[in-house]
Amino acid sequence: MLDKPPTGEFGLIAWIRSQAAAHGRTVVGIGDDCAVLRPAADRELLVTTDMLMDGRHFRLERDGAEAVGAKALGVNLSDIAAMGGQPFAAVVAVALPRASAVATAQQLLTGMRLLADRFGVDLVGGDTNAWDGPLVVSITVLGEALPPGPILRSGARAGDVVAVTGPLGGSLLGRHLRPEPRIAEAQALIGAVPVHALIDISDGLASDLGHILEESGGLGAVLDAGQVPVHADALVMSRSDGRSPLDHALNDGEDFELCVVLAENDFQRAQQVLPGVRRVGTIVEEAGLWLRDGAGTLLALQARGFDHLQTEA
Amino acid sequence: MLDKPPTGEFGLIAWIRSQAAAHGRTVVGIGDDCAVLRPAADRELLVTTDMLMDGRHFRLERDGAEAVGAKALGVNLSDIAAMGGQPFAAVVAVALPRASAVATAQQLLTGMRLLADRFGVDLVGGDTNAWDGPLVVSITVLGEALPPGPILRSGARAGDVVAVTGPLGGSLLGRHLRPEPRIAEAQALIGAVPVHALIDISDGLASDLGHILEESGGLGAVLDAGQVPVHADALVMSRSDGRSPLDHALNDGEDFELCVVLAENDFQRAQQVLPGVRRVGTIVEEAGLWLRDGAGTLLALQARGFDHLQTEA
């Protein structure tokens, strides 16, 4: 609605307000001290937050602010997917490099809008700051749990099937910038079968499955080497870094596929509603994580916990 | 509940989980993909976010991480106060300087806990990251609007009284690090009288009142020079920088008192429930902001909009 490009913070805020579409949950969007929302009264509220930093989760100069905006919203939406929920609102706080603050903010917003529009998310508030440091984007997304309620990490049981919603590994080639939050996929699954545990694969299958095992009371899992779907990007990366494609599929982060745990008896029905879902292993009583090769030999896997306080992306 | 100091991200998360008190709204707190909350079904949901950066809103080396944590939560709680609401949950995302990541996170949390406990706020989720850049803390707070509903900036009417909840100016001497969110004060006011407009003074009275005037359809206000309560800190700063104490009171940011607009007839009742509330001026039909001196002369005020994209704190 604004014809001229915005200048300064207030111009930018006016421009953002002119861009914001109103969905049913938003009573007051951007422009007051708080956003005012009216979530569905009979559904539990989901809240998740993720912060992305230049040099850590993206490189602004290489990737561009539009991709950063899409990734920053996408990783949060993926967390809503991992509860089987439906997102409806987001607030965005940014620390913008001073020299290009307004242009960067606009590009970020353009990238966010792509996903926000697709997934029915209102941008209802924010905090814009400029500084001499690198770009930092922090987003909080609100969503609603859908029946039968939010799917936690803690419901896995021995004998359950472990499955994933798509091929894994090698996302650093570029896919990590374009997360596809599996919101529809999660909803299809939880609408069709009892899902015992659900997590999105942000730190790597081994590590994220490890969270499920730990939160489910210290269970274990056996993954079938031949069943783990390996992404073409993992093959490409394998050629240059010498790590096996399977190692990439098990340990690379930022795939943003879902890891699903459900009863053996329900797996066929899950595959009917979501043909892309692939069985990769089985939950077992004994704590630990193993890889079974073609000969049936079990190899203990180190669930390389992705420690965000130590590791460089 | 953990005896030894946490090491690494997972130790830190375990420590945070052991610290988190469960209030009535929290179904699932820290540790899953999302927090799961159950807000009151009959109240509108309030959401606000603020990001604080080292060198911009605080200086980590001078102020210490505990003060930073308290400020980061406090400024968000102040936004809930500015709607007349009641906070109940917060999520926290941080970019920690790598060398002291875990210790800094613990101190931040200790500072946050001081305010969280006082105001009944659960820390329900977060995102911890380390990098080579300066400390960045981004908090999103959720709250509930209380009857008669959220107080916006847009309800001021010509003839209304403009009031503030406390003395202003000079917060940079140190008060800006210890915001006192006026949650109880706002609730006392909105429970006693119809409050037409409400905002917290984060950018300075002139600037924040300017937001009310603009959002209320382009009204104006006359402030009485002799009525604006000047904080002792403004007097101290005035002596060293040559700006008048009143200039500080009108234009300094981060006081976190409330600016309240209400009908003339209701002001006495407001003062009964909140003796500290001080009348500072009147809303007028003509757009603009004026200062009336002791002789009755009107001086046009420049509402120095605090442009966060340009100005250095």
Side-chain angles (χ1 to χ4, degrees):
Chain A
M1 305 203 309
L2 292 179
D3 294 320
K4 43 182 186 173
T7 56
E9 186 191 13
F10 299 114
L12 178 66
I13 290 173
W15 185 78
I16 293 174
R17 286 171 80 162
S18 77
Q19 300 280 306
H23 292 270
R25 304 283 185 259
T26 308
V27 181
V28 176
I30 290 164
D32 216 292
D33 299 286
C34 293
V36 183
L37 304 173
R38 201 175 284 136
D42 54 345
R43 293 177 176 180
E44 284 169 323
L45 182 69
L46 306 175
V47 188
T48 185
T49 193
D50 266 304
M51 177 183 275
L52 270 57
M53 298 112 71
D54 192 1
R56 183 77 181 67
H57 305 91
F58 61 86
R59 296 192 183 275
L60 179 58
E61 223 173 275
R62 179 193 64 192
D63 304 327
E66 224 177 283
V68 174
K71 177 171 183 176
L73 183 55
V75 298
N76 277 285
L77 296 179
S78 183
D79 282 319
I80 299 285
M83 307 296 280
Q86 175 65 41
F88 63 89
V91 293
V92 181
V94 287
L96 302 160
R98 195 182 308 278
S100 59
V102 173
T104 303
Q106 280 183 277
Q107 290 161 29
L108 282 172
L109 195 68
T110 303
M112 286 174 206
R113 285 295 303 270
L114 295 173
L115 282 176
D117 289 349
R118 274 178 59 200
F119 291 99
V121 173
D122 272 1
L123 176 59
V124 297
D127 184 29
T128 49
N129 304 278
W131 72 336
D132 298 319
L135 176 62
V136 180
V137 184
S138 182
I139 298 189
T140 300
V141 169
L142 304 185
E144 295 166 352
L146 299 181
I151 313 297
L152 308 183
R153 300 173 175 182
S154 52
R157 305 168 205 171
D160 280 351
V161 168
V162 180
V164 298
T165 54
L168 307 175
S171 75
L172 268 180
L173 284 188
R175 243 161 62 240
H176 76 104
L177 287 170
R178 301 179 292 275
E180 275 294 319
R182 298 303 186 194
I183 289 172
E185 290 80 355
Q187 291 179 7
L189 284 173
I190 72 167
V193 297
V195 172
H196 292 175
L198 195 57
I199 193 169
D200 66 323
I201 302 175
S202 53
D203 295 342
L205 174 60
S207 175
D208 289 314
L209 176 56
H211 293 309
I212 287 181
L213 300 176
E214 194 185 328
E215 298 291 331
S216 297
L219 296 174
V222 177
L223 296 174
D224 286 302
Q227 301 291 320
V228 176
V230 175
H231 196 281
D233 288 344
L235 301 174
V236 175
M237 283 188 79
S238 171
R239 256 176 261 136
S240 65
D241 67 10
R243 286 171 53 205
S244 75
L246 182 62
D247 181 16
H248 279 287
L250 292 172
N251 294 302
D252 285 1
E254 306 203 302
D255 281 303
F256 302 110
E257 296 293 345
L258 298 173
C259 174
V260 191
V261 176
L262 70 176
E264 176 75 50
N265 283 344
D266 291 321
F267 180 67
Q268 202 181 346
R269 173 89 187 110
Q271 243 184 349
Q272 281 165 2
V273 298
L274 200 67
V277 78
R278 295 281 295 271
R279 177 188 189 134
V280 296
T282 310
I283 301 287
V284 297
E285 200 70 58
E286 188 186 345
L289 189 57
W290 293 270
L291 190 67
R292 179 161 45 205
D293 68 14
T297 312
L298 289 186
L299 241 95
L301 276 182
Q302 295 291 337
R304 298 188 207 148
F306 189 89
D307 188 324
H308 298 83
L309 299 187
Q310 307 298 338
T311 322
E312 191 65 25
Chain B
M1 307 206 302
L2 292 179
D3 295 320
K4 43 183 187 174
T7 55
E9 185 191 12
F10 299 113
L12 178 67
I13 290 173
W15 186 79
I16 293 174
R17 287 171 80 163
S18 77
Q19 300 279 308
H23 293 269
R25 304 284 185 259
T26 307
V27 181
V28 176
I30 289 164
D32 216 293
D33 300 287
C34 293
V36 182
L37 304 172
R38 201 176 282 135
D42 54 344
R43 294 176 174 178
E44 283 168 324
L45 181 70
L46 306 176
V47 187
T48 185
T49 193
D50 267 304
M51 176 183 275
L52 269 57
M53 297 112 70
D54 192 1
R56 181 77 181 70
H57 305 93
F58 62 86
R59 294 190 185 279
L60 178 58
E61 224 173 275
R62 179 192 63 193
D63 304 327
E66 222 176 285
V68 174
K71 177 171 183 176
L73 183 55
V75 300
N76 278 286
L77 296 179
S78 184
D79 282 319
I80 300 284
M83 308 297 278
Q86 176 65 41
F88 64 89
V91 293
V92 181
V94 287
L96 301 161
R98 194 182 308 277
S100 59
V102 172
T104 303
Q106 280 183 276
Q107 291 162 29
L108 283 171
L109 195 68
T110 302
M112 286 175 206
R113 285 294 304 269
L114 295 174
L115 282 176
D117 288 348
R118 273 179 59 201
F119 292 99
V121 174
D122 271 2
L123 176 59
V124 297
D127 183 28
T128 48
N129 304 278
W131 71 336
D132 299 319
L135 176 61
V136 180
V137 184
S138 183
I139 298 189
T140 299
V141 170
L142 304 185
E144 293 166 352
L146 298 181
I151 314 298
L152 306 185
R153 301 174 174 180
S154 52
R157 305 168 202 169
D160 279 351
V161 169
V162 180
V164 297
T165 52
L168 306 175
S171 75
L172 267 181
L173 284 188
R175 243 163 60 243
H176 76 103
L177 287 172
R178 300 179 292 276
E180 275 295 320
R182 299 303 187 193
I183 288 172
E185 292 80 354
Q187 291 179 8
L189 284 173
I190 72 167
V193 297
V195 172
H196 293 174
L198 195 57
I199 193 170
D200 67 322
I201 302 176
S202 53
D203 295 342
L205 174 60
S207 176
D208 289 314
L209 176 55
H211 293 310
I212 287 181
L213 300 175
E214 195 184 328
E215 299 291 331
S216 298
L219 297 172
V222 177
L223 296 175
D224 286 303
Q227 301 292 320
V228 176
V230 176
H231 196 281
D233 288 344
L235 301 174
V236 175
M237 283 189 80
S238 171
R239 256 176 261 136
S240 65
D241 67 9
R243 285 171 54 203
S244 74
L246 183 61
D247 182 14
H248 279 287
L250 292 171
N251 294 303
D252 285 1
E254 307 202 301
D255 283 303
F256 302 109
E257 296 293 345
L258 298 173
C259 175
V260 190
V261 176
L262 70 177
E264 176 75 50
N265 284 343
D266 292 321
F267 180 67
Q268 203 181 347
R269 174 88 187 111
Q271 243 183 349
Q272 282 164 3
V273 298
L274 200 66
V277 78
R278 295 282 295 272
R279 177 188 189 134
V280 297
T282 310
I283 302 288
V284 298
E285 200 68 58
E286 189 185 343
L289 189 57
W290 293 270
L291 190 67
R292 180 160 44 204
D293 68 15
T297 311
L298 289 186
L299 242 97
L301 276 182
Q302 295 291 337
R304 297 188 210 147
F306 189 87
D307 188 324
H308 299 82
L309 299 188
Q310 308 297 338
T311 321
E312 191 65 22

